[in-house]
mmCIF file of all heavy atoms in Angstrom:
data_model
loop_
_atom_site.group_PDB
_atom_site.id
_atom_site.type_symbol
_atom_site.label_atom_id
_atom_site.label_comp_id
_atom_site.label_asym_id
_atom_site.label_seq_id
_atom_site.Cartn_x
_atom_site.Cartn_y
_atom_site.Cartn_z
ATOM 1 N N LEU D 33 79.334 98.683 87.136
ATOM 2 C CA LEU D 33 79.976 97.333 87.529
ATOM 3 C C LEU D 33 81.385 97.273 87.587
ATOM 4 O O LEU D 33 82.055 97.838 86.674
ATOM 5 C CB LEU D 33 79.270 96.258 86.670
ATOM 6 C CG LEU D 33 77.746 96.231 86.555
ATOM 7 C CD1 LEU D 33 77.325 95.170 85.619
ATOM 8 C CD2 LEU D 33 77.084 96.071 87.984
ATOM 9 N N ALA D 50 82.736 98.573 83.833
ATOM 10 C CA ALA D 50 81.826 98.856 82.835
ATOM 11 C C ALA D 50 80.669 99.677 83.308
ATOM 12 O O ALA D 50 80.267 99.443 84.392
ATOM 13 C CB ALA D 50 81.258 97.555 82.262
ATOM 14 N N THR D 51 80.368 100.717 82.574
ATOM 15 C CA THR D 51 79.446 101.705 83.117
ATOM 16 C C THR D 51 78.039 101.697 82.451
ATOM 17 O O THR D 51 77.065 102.266 82.935
ATOM 18 C CB THR D 51 79.943 103.105 82.907
ATOM 19 O OG1 THR D 51 80.209 103.332 81.514
ATOM 20 C CG2 THR D 51 81.298 103.283 83.631
ATOM 21 N N LYS D 52 77.899 100.818 81.306
ATOM 22 C CA LYS D 52 76.478 100.815 80.733
ATOM 23 C C LYS D 52 76.364 99.472 80.028
ATOM 24 O O LYS D 52 77.359 98.736 79.718
ATOM 25 C CB LYS D 52 76.343 101.993 79.787
ATOM 26 C CG LYS D 52 77.251 102.007 78.654
ATOM 27 C CD LYS D 52 76.914 103.225 77.767
ATOM 28 C CE LYS D 52 77.803 103.340 76.448
ATOM 29 N NZ LYS D 52 79.238 103.537 76.801
ATOM 30 N N ALA D 53 75.228 99.050 79.787
ATOM 31 C CA ALA D 53 74.907 97.816 79.065
ATOM 32 C C ALA D 53 75.649 97.606 77.906
ATOM 33 O O ALA D 53 75.902 98.457 77.090
ATOM 34 C CB ALA D 53 73.381 97.705 78.867
ATOM 35 N N ASP D 54 76.153 96.334 77.732
ATOM 36 C CA ASP D 54 76.999 95.876 76.635
ATOM 37 C C ASP D 54 78.396 96.390 76.633
ATOM 38 O O ASP D 54 79.213 95.979 75.748
ATOM 39 C CB ASP D 54 76.278 96.220 75.224
ATOM 40 C CG ASP D 54 75.010 95.558 75.114
ATOM 41 O OD1 ASP D 54 74.776 94.558 75.720
ATOM 42 O OD2 ASP D 54 73.989 96.247 74.503
ATOM 43 N N ASP D 55 78.690 97.217 77.563
ATOM 44 C CA ASP D 55 80.165 97.547 77.703
ATOM 45 C C ASP D 55 81.079 96.442 78.138
ATOM 46 O O ASP D 55 80.554 95.570 78.786
ATOM 47 C CB ASP D 55 80.223 98.665 78.699
ATOM 48 C CG ASP D 55 80.247 100.058 78.217
ATOM 49 O OD1 ASP D 55 80.029 100.206 77.016
ATOM 50 O OD2 ASP D 55 80.463 101.071 79.035
ATOM 51 N N LYS D 56 82.254 96.296 77.554
ATOM 52 C CA LYS D 56 83.177 95.182 77.916
ATOM 53 C C LYS D 56 84.383 95.881 78.590
ATOM 54 O O LYS D 56 84.985 96.761 78.093
ATOM 55 C CB LYS D 56 83.558 94.390 76.762
ATOM 56 C CG LYS D 56 84.650 93.374 77.127
ATOM 57 C CD LYS D 56 85.260 92.583 75.982
ATOM 58 C CE LYS D 56 84.341 91.643 75.303
ATOM 59 N NZ LYS D 56 84.929 90.877 74.243
ATOM 60 N N GLY D 57 84.538 95.429 79.941
ATOM 61 C CA GLY D 57 85.852 95.898 80.570
ATOM 62 C C GLY D 57 86.860 94.954 80.263
ATOM 63 O O GLY D 57 86.555 93.753 80.241
ATOM 64 N N ALA D 64 85.134 91.247 81.125
ATOM 65 C CA ALA D 64 83.783 91.080 81.616
ATOM 66 C C ALA D 64 82.908 91.929 80.859
ATOM 67 O O ALA D 64 83.260 93.068 80.640
ATOM 68 C CB ALA D 64 83.834 91.429 83.214
ATOM 69 N N THR D 65 81.737 91.384 80.395
ATOM 70 C CA THR D 65 80.767 92.190 79.630
ATOM 71 C C THR D 65 79.505 92.541 80.516
ATOM 72 O O THR D 65 79.004 91.558 81.127
ATOM 73 C CB THR D 65 80.388 91.412 78.436
ATOM 74 O OG1 THR D 65 81.571 91.313 77.656
ATOM 75 C CG2 THR D 65 79.435 92.282 77.588
ATOM 76 N N TYR D 66 79.079 93.742 80.505
ATOM 77 C CA TYR D 66 77.846 94.183 81.222
ATOM 78 C C TYR D 66 76.567 93.651 80.514
ATOM 79 O O TYR D 66 76.292 94.164 79.470
ATOM 80 C CB TYR D 66 78.019 95.771 81.334
ATOM 81 C CG TYR D 66 76.846 96.329 82.169
ATOM 82 C CD1 TYR D 66 77.307 97.508 82.795
ATOM 83 C CD2 TYR D 66 75.577 96.106 82.272
ATOM 84 C CE1 TYR D 66 76.435 98.326 83.653
ATOM 85 C CE2 TYR D 66 74.683 96.694 83.104
ATOM 86 C CZ TYR D 66 75.104 97.835 83.652
ATOM 87 O OH TYR D 66 74.202 98.567 84.537
ATOM 88 N N ARG D 67 75.883 92.690 81.072
ATOM 89 C CA ARG D 67 74.730 92.215 80.401
ATOM 90 C C ARG D 67 73.508 92.479 81.185
ATOM 91 O O ARG D 67 73.244 91.920 82.232
ATOM 92 C CB ARG D 67 74.811 90.602 80.346
ATOM 93 C CG ARG D 67 76.076 90.072 79.605
ATOM 94 C CD ARG D 67 75.897 90.132 78.141
ATOM 95 N NE ARG D 67 76.978 89.520 77.422
ATOM 96 C CZ ARG D 67 77.277 89.747 76.118
ATOM 97 N NH1 ARG D 67 76.685 90.743 75.502
ATOM 98 N NH2 ARG D 67 78.245 89.037 75.587
ATOM 99 N N LYS D 68 72.825 93.489 80.646
ATOM 100 C CA LYS D 68 71.660 94.051 81.399
ATOM 101 C C LYS D 68 70.624 93.049 81.315
ATOM 102 O O LYS D 68 69.780 92.854 82.321
ATOM 103 C CB LYS D 68 71.293 95.328 80.753
ATOM 104 C CG LYS D 68 69.973 95.941 81.486
ATOM 105 C CD LYS D 68 69.677 97.304 80.762
ATOM 106 C CE LYS D 68 68.433 97.942 81.435
ATOM 107 N NZ LYS D 68 67.920 99.045 80.834
ATOM 108 N N GLU D 69 70.393 92.224 80.280
ATOM 109 C CA GLU D 69 69.250 91.325 80.046
ATOM 110 C C GLU D 69 69.297 90.169 81.142
ATOM 111 O O GLU D 69 68.250 89.557 81.550
ATOM 112 C CB GLU D 69 69.188 90.743 78.646
ATOM 113 C CG GLU D 69 70.301 89.976 78.133
ATOM 114 C CD GLU D 69 71.499 90.855 77.700
ATOM 115 O OE1 GLU D 69 71.502 92.047 78.006
ATOM 116 O OE2 GLU D 69 72.406 90.188 77.025
ATOM 117 N N SER D 72 74.198 90.339 84.676
ATOM 118 C CA SER D 72 75.310 89.635 84.898
ATOM 119 C C SER D 72 76.561 90.344 84.473
ATOM 120 O O SER D 72 76.626 91.276 83.618
ATOM 121 C CB SER D 72 75.302 88.245 84.278
ATOM 122 O OG SER D 72 75.512 88.441 82.820
ATOM 123 N N PHE D 73 77.804 90.018 85.122
ATOM 124 C CA PHE D 73 78.954 90.634 84.690
ATOM 125 C C PHE D 73 80.140 89.794 85.097
ATOM 126 O O PHE D 73 80.916 89.803 85.891
ATOM 127 C CB PHE D 73 79.162 91.967 85.678
ATOM 128 C CG PHE D 73 80.327 92.826 85.218
ATOM 129 C CD1 PHE D 73 80.403 93.293 83.903
ATOM 130 C CD2 PHE D 73 81.296 93.293 86.086
ATOM 131 C CE1 PHE D 73 81.359 94.153 83.516
ATOM 132 C CE2 PHE D 73 82.257 94.179 85.587
ATOM 133 C CZ PHE D 73 82.387 94.630 84.377
#
Side-chain angles (χ1 to χ4, degrees):
Chain D
L33 302 174
T51 59
K52 60 183 186 296
D54 300 326
D55 268 2
K56 176 186 284 188
T65 300
Y66 189 143
R67 301 289 188 197
K68 184 181 178 183
E69 63 275 15
S72 65
F73 193 54

